[in-house]
Structures are given as structure tokens and as C-alpha cells.
């Protein structure tokens, strides 16, 4: 026997409801049962209970009380979740979203501009002009942390824009010096966020342009020495001519 009261189909076996909630869960694709749905199931259970083994009123009251407590607890959790989301506005966060198509997880960082509440109960954070589910929140950072991360990322990006080490020439000396000046201007706390890989790369580039500079100085020195030799020879020849005259 089955009851189709409301939106739930309650199947009764041996005077007891079986798989009613499970079936509703499968139909809706969710896991939350509303208060009205619970009462519908409770009424159906009362209507189709086994007359030889009826459920006592105490059991019904206990079920209702338990559900009320659960609903109150879930409501409190939702309130706390919303308060937490509201408190993130203006904060710097790191999110860890997963692409629904590829299943790939990435990291997104930025400031929370506002919070949006969806009809399905989900809470969305606006970061970098995009919406992300609150569940993807990984880290909440203060401004100092976020600023240090930004400097480290800037240095990494500037290094990535340079050609490979074997293709570096003396013409990149200015660009490499700008990166060095940026790093040297950081605080010790901020320097701690720059990776060892980036530092090693910077040092290798600096060594390469220094080799070009040393080579250029050596060539310049040879040219100056040659010029001096020629000047000396010219002066000697002039002196000889004057003596002969």
C-alpha cells in the first residue's frame, strides 16, 4: 500500500514506511528534508501503521522533537556560514576551485568584493569579477601576506618573460637589473615568499650579462691600448721629423 500525500510517495510494508525518504532524496537529488516533508511522512506512518502493533504517541513526539532539534542545528549552521561569508568581504582569500569538466583543481587568489546568496542555498564569493562557491575557500589572508605573494609572483612573471639563459645577451642587462632592484627593495618577510628557483634564475641571468659586460670591457681596454700605441707611434714620428728638419 502506498500514500501519495503531498509530494512524497510513502511505501508501507508490514505497517511501516520503507524507503520513503530515500526515494524522495533520489527524486530531488538533494539530502535535506524539509519540515513539511517530515510531517507528511509522519502522518502517512500514523495512517498506515499496523493496528496490532501501533506506534505509541511518545515515539511520534520523540521523532518530531528530534527532527526539530536537527532542523534548528542546521539553521544555526547556515546562519554561521552566512555570517562567515559576510565577514570575508574586503578580505584577501585563496580559493581552490575544481573544473566540473576536466576535474582539474586550480588556485585563485584575490579580494572578495561581495557575497551572493543563491536560491538553492549556496553562497558565492565574488573574486576577480568571477563567482566562486564558498566551499572552495582554502585560505583567508591578511594584506601583508597577499602583498608579499603579489611581489613574489611579479618577480616570477618578469623572469618568465626573459628568454632562455643561453639566449641572454648584454641587451637584457637593464631588465635584469630592474628585477634585482625589485627584490632588494623587499622586506625580509616579503623576500621569504620568493622561491629559491626564482632567485637562482635571477643569479644565473646576472652572471650571464656580467660575462658580456666583462667581455665588452676587455675589448674596450684592447682598443684603448691600441689607440695609445698608435698615438705614441705618431708622436715619435713627428718628433723624428722635427729633429731632421
Amino acid at each position: 500500500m502506498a500514500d501519495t500525500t503531498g509530494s512524497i510517495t510513502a511505501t508501507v510494508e508490514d505497517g511501516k514506511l520503507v524507503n520513503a525518504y530515500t526515494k524522495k532524496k533520489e527524486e530531488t537529488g538533494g539530502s535535506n528534508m524539509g519540515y513539511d516533508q517530515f510531517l507528511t511522512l509522519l502522518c502517512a506512518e500514523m495512517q498506515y501503521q499496523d493496528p496490532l502493533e501501533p506506534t505509541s504517541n511518545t515515539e511520534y513526539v520523540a521523532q518530531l522533537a528530534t527532527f526539530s532539534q536537527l532542523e534548528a542545528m542546521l539553521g544555526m549552521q547556515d546562519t554561521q556560514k552566512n555570517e562567515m561569508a559576510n565577514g570575508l568581504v574586503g578580505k584577501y582569500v585563496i580559493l581552490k576551485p575544481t573544473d566540473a569538466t576536466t576535474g582539474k583543481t586550480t588556485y585563485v587568489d584575490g579580494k572578495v568584493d561581495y557575497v551572493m546568496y543563491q536560491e538553492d542555498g549556496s553562497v558565492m564569493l565574488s573574486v576577480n569579477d568571477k563567482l566562486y562557491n564558498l566551499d572552495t575557500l582554502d585560505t583567508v589572508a591578511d594584506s601583508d601576506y597577499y602583498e608579499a605573494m603579489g611581489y613574489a609572483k611579479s618577480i616570477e612573471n618578469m623572469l618568465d618573460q626573459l628568454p632562455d639563459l643561453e639566449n641572454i645577451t648584454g641587451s637584457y642587462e637593464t631588465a635584469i637589473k630592474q628585477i634585482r632592484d625589485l627584490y632588494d627593495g623587499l622586506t625580509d618577510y616579503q623576500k621569504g615568499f620568493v622561491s629559491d628557483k626564482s632567485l637562482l634564475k635571477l643569479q644565473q641571468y646576472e652572471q650571464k650579462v656580467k660575462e658580456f659586460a666583462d667581455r665588452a670591457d676587455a675589448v674596450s681596454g684592447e682598443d684603448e691600448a691600441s689607440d695609445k700605441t698608435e698615438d705614441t707611434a705618431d708622436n715619435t714620428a713627428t718628433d723624428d721629423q722635427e729633429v731632421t728638419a
Side-chain angles (χ1 to χ4, degrees):
M1 181 181 297
D3 173 52
T4 56
T5 304
S7 59
I8 300 178
T9 300
T11 302
V12 181
E13 294 179 7
D14 298 328
K16 302 293 182 181
L17 291 180
V18 179
N19 295 328
Y21 173 61
T22 302
K23 186 172 183 180
K24 178 61 181 176
K25 180 178 177 180
E26 293 173 352
E27 290 173 352
T28 60
S31 59
N32 297 327
M33 188 195 304
Y35 197 72
D36 291 340
Q37 295 170 344
F38 176 79
L39 290 178
T40 299
L41 286 174
L42 191 60
C43 290
E45 184 178 353
M46 293 174 65
Q47 182 179 358
Y48 294 103
Q49 64 180 315
D50 186 351
L52 299 179
E53 296 181 6
T55 303
S56 68
N57 293 336
T58 303
E59 288 186 54
Y60 288 129
V61 172
Q63 290 182 43
L64 185 59
T66 300
F67 185 82
S68 297
Q69 291 174 357
L70 178 61
E71 188 177 52
M73 183 179 67
L74 293 175
M76 186 180 298
Q77 290 178 349
D78 289 339
T79 299
Q80 292 174 343
K81 184 177 180 180
N82 294 342
E83 289 177 352
M84 183 190 76
N86 292 335
L88 292 175
V89 176
K91 297 287 184 65
Y92 294 97
V93 298
I94 299 176
L95 305 170
K96 196 175 176 182
T98 300
D99 189 283
T101 304
T102 63
K104 182 180 179 181
T105 299
T106 57
Y107 285 90
V108 176
D109 61 272
K111 185 173 69 173
V112 178
D113 297 317
Y114 61 87
V115 177
M116 179 177 289
Y117 298 94
Q118 306 286 55
E119 292 183 358
D120 62 0
S122 59
V123 181
M124 310 299 290
L125 304 178
S126 174
V127 178
N128 301 332
D129 296 326
K130 291 185 179 180
L131 291 176
Y132 298 91
N133 196 297
L134 178 62
D135 294 338
T136 65
L137 179 65
D138 182 77
T139 305
V140 180
D142 60 20
S143 58
D144 291 339
Y145 175 89
Y146 186 76
E147 186 178 44
M149 287 285 291
Y151 282 130
K153 185 176 292 186
S154 294
I155 290 176
E156 183 178 347
N157 290 339
M158 292 170 71
L159 289 169
D160 287 341
Q161 290 175 11
L162 295 174
D164 293 336
L165 185 62
E166 57 268 20
N167 295 320
I168 286 290
T169 63
S171 61
Y172 291 97
E173 181 178 3
T174 300
I176 293 172
K177 186 177 184 306
Q178 288 176 342
I179 301 175
R180 167 56 66 179
D181 290 343
L182 174 59
Y183 176 78
D184 289 343
L186 300 180
T187 65
D188 290 340
Y189 173 76
Q190 293 166 342
K191 287 179 180 179
F193 287 81
V194 180
S195 67
D196 293 339
K197 180 180 178 181
S198 293
L199 278 179
L200 177 61
K201 196 172 184 180
L202 175 59
Q203 292 167 356
Q204 290 174 333
Y205 281 152
E206 288 176 324
Q207 179 61 34
K208 190 69 180 288
V209 296
K210 183 178 182 301
E211 292 174 3
F212 278 100
D214 290 344
R215 242 180 266 159
D217 289 342
V219 171
S220 177
E222 292 174 359
D223 291 340
E224 289 179 2
S226 177
D227 291 340
K228 287 181 180 179
T229 300
E230 291 177 0
D231 289 342
T232 301
D234 290 341
N235 292 334
T236 301
T238 300
D239 294 339
D240 291 342
Q241 291 175 356
E242 291 177 351
V243 171
T244 301

